[in-house]
Amino acid sequence: MKNKIKNNLLGEGKTKKIYTTKNPHEIILHYKDSLTAGDGLKKEFLKDKGILNNEITTFIFKYLNSCGIKTHFIRRINNREQLCIKVDMIPLEFVVRNIITGSLSKRLGIKEGTLSKNPIFEIFYKNDALNDPLVNDHHAVFLGVVSYEELNIINKITFNINNILKKYFLEKNILLVDFKIEFGKDEKNEILLSDEISPDTCRFWDKKTMKKLDKDLFRKGKSEKIVIDTYMEVLKRLNID
């Protein structure tokens, strides 16, 4: 059945489409079944992956909203779509690392799996032509995409999100290894957590076995079935009170 509040396609990214609505301050996010890695160099179609990420993000954003974190999420519309507040996205990715792995392990020569005594915050400039380079606060302000005051606000929100989600996932027997989040500003210029939080944007490890429960499986060439079954496992755990 056609979505009665969806209007025109506003934009499309690697994993989502954005539609306008009759309300100029609201948009619809449509989750696609595509999965990418390596700045989009590796891409595949995974049936129902968009449905799973929509469900997982809904669980997480609703929980964060209940904990006082302001997000763009309004409600889930159907199995692939969410109604969200329209924001002007800040072209930065904010990464938090609780356990050393991936690129940070290689960059600093630290053994993978090393627990960090403090969460490590990193910023990446969203620019496909430059392969999303790592930047610091001063670079971000110089680029004119954010102010120091806004960075202070984002850092506080990010710190709170990390504390909330580490505990939340630990209760599901999942270690929150690291994650990427994005922010946008609404019509009142208020900063809101935006985009998604899912196995596409996080590294999850099983607390007991250290088994990977995220997109790293795709990066390492695991089969479509293994990747989808893993995403379903994350959703199943979130669905248990």
Side-chain angles (χ1 to χ4, degrees):
M1 185 174 68
K2 187 176 180 180
N3 191 319
K4 294 182 179 179
I5 63 173
K6 185 195 296 182
N7 284 349
N8 301 315
L9 181 66
L10 182 63
E12 182 172 1
K14 294 171 184 144
T15 60
K16 290 185 287 296
K17 293 181 180 179
I18 306 170
Y19 291 91
T20 61
T21 69
K22 294 178 181 178
N23 185 332
H25 302 303
E26 296 177 352
I27 52 95
I28 290 174
L29 283 186
H30 175 98
Y31 284 73
K32 303 192 295 184
D33 284 340
S34 56
L35 185 59
T36 66
D39 292 325
L41 295 177
K42 183 177 182 181
K43 182 176 180 179
E44 285 187 19
F45 173 88
L46 273 71
K47 187 177 183 297
D48 295 336
K49 195 273 288 186
I51 293 174
L52 293 170
N53 274 3
N54 182 26
E55 291 273 5
I56 291 168
T57 297
T58 294
F59 266 105
I60 297 172
F61 272 57
K62 285 176 71 174
Y63 182 71
L64 288 173
N65 280 339
S66 73
C67 293
I69 301 295
K70 294 182 179 181
T71 79
H72 73 160
F73 178 84
I74 298 174
R75 62 182 172 87
R76 176 178 170 272
I77 298 172
N78 54 48
N79 65 354
R80 287 191 180 275
E81 295 178 331
Q82 300 171 0
L83 183 67
C84 299
I85 298 169
K86 184 180 180 182
V87 297
D88 290 324
M89 294 298 293
I90 298 170
L92 299 171
E93 295 178 345
F94 296 86
V95 174
V96 181
R97 303 182 188 273
N98 297 307
I99 299 174
I100 308 302
T101 188
S103 62
L104 185 62
S105 174
K106 296 176 182 176
R107 195 188 323 147
L108 300 183
I110 299 174
K111 184 179 178 181
E112 186 158 321
T114 300
L115 179 66
S116 176
K117 294 179 181 179
N118 57 283
I120 298 171
F121 288 24
E122 294 179 330
I123 305 174
F124 293 84
Y125 178 38
K126 292 194 67 175
N127 186 308
D128 289 339
L130 300 175
N131 296 318
D132 299 343
L134 175 68
V135 298
N136 62 31
D137 291 14
H138 308 296
H139 293 141
V141 173
F142 169 76
L143 289 167
V145 297
V146 72
S147 68
Y148 285 115
E149 182 180 3
E150 289 168 339
L151 280 174
N152 286 335
I153 293 170
I154 289 171
N155 284 336
K156 288 178 182 177
I157 297 172
T158 301
F159 182 82
N160 288 336
I161 290 172
N162 188 45
N163 285 339
I164 292 168
L165 290 186
K166 278 199 301 183
K167 182 180 178 181
Y168 176 69
F169 283 111
L170 200 58
E171 292 170 354
K172 316 293 183 181
N173 290 315
I174 295 174
L175 296 176
L176 181 59
V177 176
D178 59 38
F179 62 95
K180 170 190 75 70
I181 52 179
E182 298 183 36
F183 294 87
K185 293 187 283 188
D186 65 12
E187 79 278 5
K188 297 178 182 177
N189 220 35
E190 184 170 18
I191 294 173
L192 304 178
L193 175 66
S194 305
D195 196 50
E196 68 176 290
I197 297 180
S198 72
D200 276 13
T201 64
C202 303
R203 280 191 174 94
F204 298 133
W205 291 354
D206 181 86
K207 179 185 174 183
K208 296 179 180 178
T209 67
M210 297 299 182
K211 174 186 174 183
K212 296 180 187 297
L213 302 170
D214 55 68
K215 193 170 75 169
D216 262 356
L217 295 171
F218 173 69
R219 295 187 183 100
K220 295 181 181 299
K222 298 298 183 180
S223 70
E224 175 182 332
K225 184 179 186 307
I226 289 175
V227 175
I228 290 297
D229 285 351
T230 299
Y231 280 44
M232 289 179 66
E233 172 65 20
V234 172
L235 178 58
K236 180 181 177 181
R237 295 194 194 188
L238 295 182
N239 207 14
I240 298 174
D241 293 329

